[in-house]
Amino acid sequence: MLIDNFKKSDVVARYLPKKLVSIDHAEAFAPSNIALCKYWGKRQSELNLPVNSSLSISLAHLGTRTQIRPSQTGEDQVMLNGQLLPVESPFASKVISFVDLFRRESSYPLVIDTRNNIPTAAGLASSASGFAALTLAINQYFKLQLPDSVLSAFARMGSGSASRSIYTGFVEWRMGRQEDGMDSHAFPLDVIWPDLRVGLVKVSTAAKAVDSRSGMKRTVETASLYQSWPAQAAQDLEKIHQALSEGSFSQLGAVAEHNAMSMHATMIASWPPLLYWQPDSVVAMQKIWALREAGVEVYFTMDAGPNLKLLFQEKNQTLLETEFSGLEVVTPFVESGSLSTSTATVKKSS
Ligand code: 2P0
């Protein structure tokens, strides 16, 4: 483990102009994302540097839209879904601390207006899209003109998974090696699968007892089984790359499900145990396995919560909407990459 040498503020400061300038209004959108090879465990917590590389799929139109404008009251105003929050609330203080990394001691009182269009019923985390949209909006507002890779590294300092939400489509976050973390950022992959679908199965939307940040810390510190995780994640990442290059949906789905279950095994092996599943999560898993036995190609992945995310192809959408009532279906490649600048080649999964 590295010692927490570098401070976020010092790392960010290296990329800022001597004197900040600003525009009147900035607005940015970032999608939520689901990891197919998970990020679980940090080697350095100040900068959110991960133990392993990860790979995700961004959720197209589901995410966060953030606006920044000058505050007329002389104080920061943080709004979430149309509601003004007390500045000392956990959400507002996280947002303000992040913005402080950029404006340093300068007096730039701002209105930071955040809206999530992630259905509350979907059980998706909003910190990934939230910090990514905030980073993109800050880049615009202060005319920083930073490259996507730097923005991804900055978003990672807000929340690890936010590094991936800077881009659309399939995205890889390389763990990096540098102590300042600037090589630990995401980049978009040059692959498009128009027939890929992600289905959100709601099991429970109650706030979880242990958040991801404390959950991964507990796993790293107490689960002997965690020692096997970095090697598993590295192997899974390689297999997902292979699946993407061969257009093999079966391999992509199987590896993603295995990776999620392996991550959950390390959580369960923590002390006190971290079991994010509810009885209905297991019911849904068994249904998926029965459907696969019956020849329907559907796989699942799960994050630090009880909800399942199904992976399937367009041809099975109607059937799965019948099997899982209330299934929210996302088409990741419905729109071409609006955030990333990469050109993508079309490779249809088989
Ligand atoms: C992921 N998760 O790869 C993994 C899988 C949850 C399970 O990234 O502490 O909110 O802010 O870096 O990014 C959730 O953790 O944690 C997460 P921090 P984050 O999507």
Side-chain angles (χ1 to χ4, degrees), residues 116-168:
N116 294 319
N117 70 358
I118 300 161
T120 41
L124 289 174
S126 53
S127 69
S129 55
F131 277 107
L134 181 58
T135 306
L136 292 167
I138 289 170
N139 182 52
Q140 270 183 37
Y141 188 79
F142 291 120
K143 297 173 82 170
L144 302 178
Q145 297 182 303
L146 293 167
D148 285 353
S149 56
V150 172
L151 297 174
S152 169
F154 286 176
R156 183 249 304 140
M157 295 184 205
S159 193
S161 50
S163 64
R164 302 185 307 238
S165 277
I166 293 290
Y167 305 99
T168 57

Side-chain angles (χ1 to χ4, degrees), residues 276-293:
Y276 285 104
W277 304 348
Q278 296 286 331
D280 282 345
S281 315
V282 179
V283 170
M285 287 177 197
Q286 285 173 336
K287 189 165 180 173
I288 290 158
W289 294 327
L291 282 163
R292 276 221 299 277
E293 279 287 304

Side-chain angles (χ1 to χ4, degrees), residues 35 38-39 42 48 127 159-161 164 212-213 216 303:
K38 307 290 187 188
Y39 150 51
K42 301 178 201 217
N48 290 332
S127 69
S159 193
S161 50
R164 302 185 307 238
S212 296
R213 192 162 288 190
M216 61 177 92
D303 295 302

Side-chain angles (χ1 to χ4, degrees), residues 59-77:
L59 295 187
H61 61 284
L62 290 187
T64 303
R65 185 168 295 280
T66 298
Q67 292 184 24
I68 301 182
R69 49 186 186 272
S71 165
Q72 305 305 335
T73 66
E75 304 287 330
D76 286 330
Q77 293 176 278

Side-chain angles (χ1 to χ4, degrees), residues 254-324:
V255 176
E257 185 174 310
H258 190 190
N259 181 270
M261 292 302 265
S262 304
M263 175 186 72
H264 279 273
T266 70
M267 295 166 168
I268 295 166
S270 303
W271 192 260
L274 274 171
L275 183 67
Y276 285 104
W277 304 348
Q278 296 286 331
D280 282 345
S281 315
V282 179
V283 170
M285 287 177 197
Q286 285 173 336
K287 189 165 180 173
I288 290 158
W289 294 327
L291 282 163
R292 276 221 299 277
E293 279 287 304
V296 181
E297 273 229 285
V298 53
Y299 299 88
F300 70 87
T301 182
M302 288 178 81
D303 295 302
N307 303 302
L308 280 77
K309 286 96 182 188
L310 308 188
L311 302 167
F312 56 94
Q313 290 166 294
E314 185 184 9
K315 64 184 180 195
N316 287 321
Q317 183 164 337
T318 311
L319 183 147
L320 290 166
E321 282 170 335
T322 313
E323 291 287 339
F324 294 89

Side-chain angles (χ1 to χ4, degrees), residues 177-190:
R177 298 276 168 209
Q178 286 172 214
E179 276 192 72
D180 69 357
M182 289 313 291
D183 60 348
S184 183
H185 61 77
F187 58 92
L189 301 181
D190 202 11

